[in-house]
Amino acid sequence: LRSLTLGDSGLTLPMAQKLGQLRSLRYLVITNCELTDELLNQIGGLNQLESFSIDEPAITDKGLQVLRHFPRLQQLTLSNVTLTGQGI
């Protein structure tokens, strides 16, 4: 699987853990799923990820630190998120 869009679903910890195992994933879009820092941390192993789009997450600047684990990330879209800028 190379591309996945999750929308309007209750993303749970077990779901995020399974998502984190999709090592060949290159494009990921998560919208209206209440993505938290803890859930974001579970997908930190997606080292092939090139494009990541998040809409309406419940993440903090600290949670964004997981982006360091995406060495191939070329495009990041954050929509409807409240951050201070320290995490970027």
Side-chain angles (χ1 to χ4, degrees):
L1 185 66
R2 290 179 170 234
S3 179
L4 179 64
T5 299
L6 294 173
D8 298 315
S9 66
L11 187 62
T12 63
L13 184 58
M15 290 171 62
Q17 290 169 335
K18 291 282 187 186
L19 180 60
Q21 295 173 6
L22 300 175
R23 303 289 184 200
S24 62
L25 202 61
R26 292 178 187 245
Y27 308 97
L28 179 59
V29 177
I30 299 177
T31 61
N32 302 319
C33 291
E34 297 185 25
L35 183 67
T36 64
D37 290 349
E38 180 182 17
L39 297 176
L40 184 59
N41 192 47
Q42 295 301 313
I43 64 172
L46 300 177
N47 58 8
Q48 298 298 313
L49 203 62
E50 296 174 8
S51 177
F52 190 22
S53 179
I54 313 169
D55 185 27
E56 294 192 32
I59 57 174
T60 66
D61 289 306
K62 183 178 178 182
L64 284 182
Q65 298 305 311
V66 76
L67 298 178
R68 295 178 181 174
H69 300 286
F70 303 142
R72 294 181 176 224
L73 192 64
Q74 297 175 20
Q75 180 178 350
L76 175 64
T77 304
L78 300 171
S79 302
N80 301 310
V81 61
T82 303
L83 299 171
T84 65
Q86 292 177 341
I88 297 177

